[in-house]
Amino acid sequence: EAGVAQSPRYKIIEKRQSVAFWCNPISGHATLYWYQQILGQGPKLLIQFQNNGVVDDSQLPKDRFSAERLKGVDSTLKIQPAKLEDSAVYLCASSPGTQNTGELFFGEGSRLTVL
Amino acid sequence: KNQVEQSPQSLIILEGKNCTLQCNYTVSPFSNLRWYKQDTGRGPVSLTIMTFSENTKSNGRYTATLDADTKQSSLHITASQLSDSASYICEGGGGNKLTFGTGTQLKVEL
């Protein structure tokens, strides 16, 4: 079974530039999450999708971050314009269930460095 | 506010020794607790999932315990190996919320 795919693995940009990350969840998984993980910290939820609807985006900085999940499958996370404090690993995860009770499968992450 | 606190922050042990990592959680509503292993530069991988009614769950050399009354969980690693060097993250879930701890950084040395 293929895992959660993310790209790019690494990205270096200057502040005020834009960046986009892509995630392809495990086939058939209803729930998709985007997390931000700053070095030395645990993952922080940015947005949770159930199929193609948003369940929770309360911690998404909506003035600069946006995300969409096309047709309930792939998802993209965009940052525009980037700030220095956005330097982090952006993790995508998917789960077969819809009630946060099942196993979460994480991708390898996209490491962003903002200079 | 939901919180998950882990201790110790970091730990160094010799290969072959056992160790126990701690997790205290304040999560409401609470339905399950997960432990993850995160190797450097990789995404977290699930080790165990326990519902609030379970007391213990094993996965090979990893054994997790859960005390829902005291809101504490532990992860015990038996006969450690060099490949166990990683960050171990505790996560409490309930409703639509998942709350992650900051992890315990474990290093296993020869």
Side-chain angles (χ1 to χ4, degrees):
Chain A
E1 178 181 76
V4 176
Q6 291 189 245
S7 67
R9 286 294 314 275
Y10 306 93
K11 188 74 175 179
I12 301 174
I13 61 174
E14 295 189 350
K15 59 183 178 182
R16 292 187 288 275
Q17 288 187 323
S18 62
V19 62
F21 301 114
W22 173 82
C23 173
N24 185 12
I26 294 174
S27 178
H29 280 197
T31 305
L32 184 148
Y33 309 80
W34 281 104
Y35 286 93
Q36 180 193 59
Q37 187 175 28
I38 293 172
L39 186 64
Q41 298 183 19
K44 169 191 164 186
L45 179 70
L46 292 174
I47 190 167
Q48 176 184 346
F49 293 95
Q50 188 169 302
N51 296 310
N52 59 353
V54 176
V55 174
D56 185 353
D57 65 354
S58 58
Q59 298 189 86
L60 186 73
K62 298 180 184 64
D63 58 333
R64 299 184 300 105
F65 286 64
S66 64
E68 60 180 1
R69 188 178 184 192
L70 303 174
K71 300 180 181 178
V73 182
D74 291 8
S75 178
T76 56
L77 175 70
K78 296 179 182 178
I79 307 174
Q80 181 179 12
K83 292 184 176 182
L84 296 177
E85 59 260 36
D86 298 332
S87 294
V89 176
Y90 291 86
L91 294 165
C92 178
S94 70
S95 175
T98 59
Q99 296 297 321
N100 287 334
T101 56
E103 186 172 356
L104 264 67
F105 297 83
F106 283 86
E108 300 288 42
S110 293
R111 180 178 296 276
L112 173 66
T113 301
V114 182
L115 302 176
Chain B
K1 178 183 177 183
N2 288 346
Q3 283 187 310
V4 173
E5 296 181 349
Q6 295 187 241
S7 63
Q9 188 172 15
S10 62
L11 182 63
I12 301 174
I13 62 173
L14 295 177
E15 186 181 30
K17 298 296 185 183
N18 304 333
C19 67
T20 300
L21 314 180
Q22 301 291 341
C23 172
N24 294 338
Y25 63 92
T26 306
V27 173
S28 181
F30 174 74
S31 61
N32 52 64
L33 187 132
R34 301 178 179 90
W35 282 94
Y36 298 85
K37 178 187 180 188
Q38 186 173 23
D39 292 317
T40 300
R42 310 292 293 273
V45 174
S46 177
L47 293 175
T48 62
I49 304 172
M50 289 181 290
T51 67
F52 64 89
S53 61
E54 294 179 292
N55 298 120
T56 186
K57 183 72 70 78
S58 291
N59 179 0
R61 294 180 297 102
Y62 301 102
T63 299
T65 64
L66 176 63
D67 185 334
D69 291 331
T70 62
K71 296 183 171 57
Q72 294 179 329
S73 177
S74 65
L75 181 69
H76 186 74
I77 304 175
T78 303
S80 61
Q81 300 176 359
L82 295 178
S83 59
D84 292 332
S85 295
S87 177
Y88 291 84
I89 301 174
C90 175
E91 174 254 299
N96 278 324
K97 299 291 185 182
L98 303 177
T99 304
F100 287 83
T102 56
T104 292
Q105 190 68 41
L106 174 66
K107 184 174 183 181
V108 181
E109 294 182 337
L110 290 172

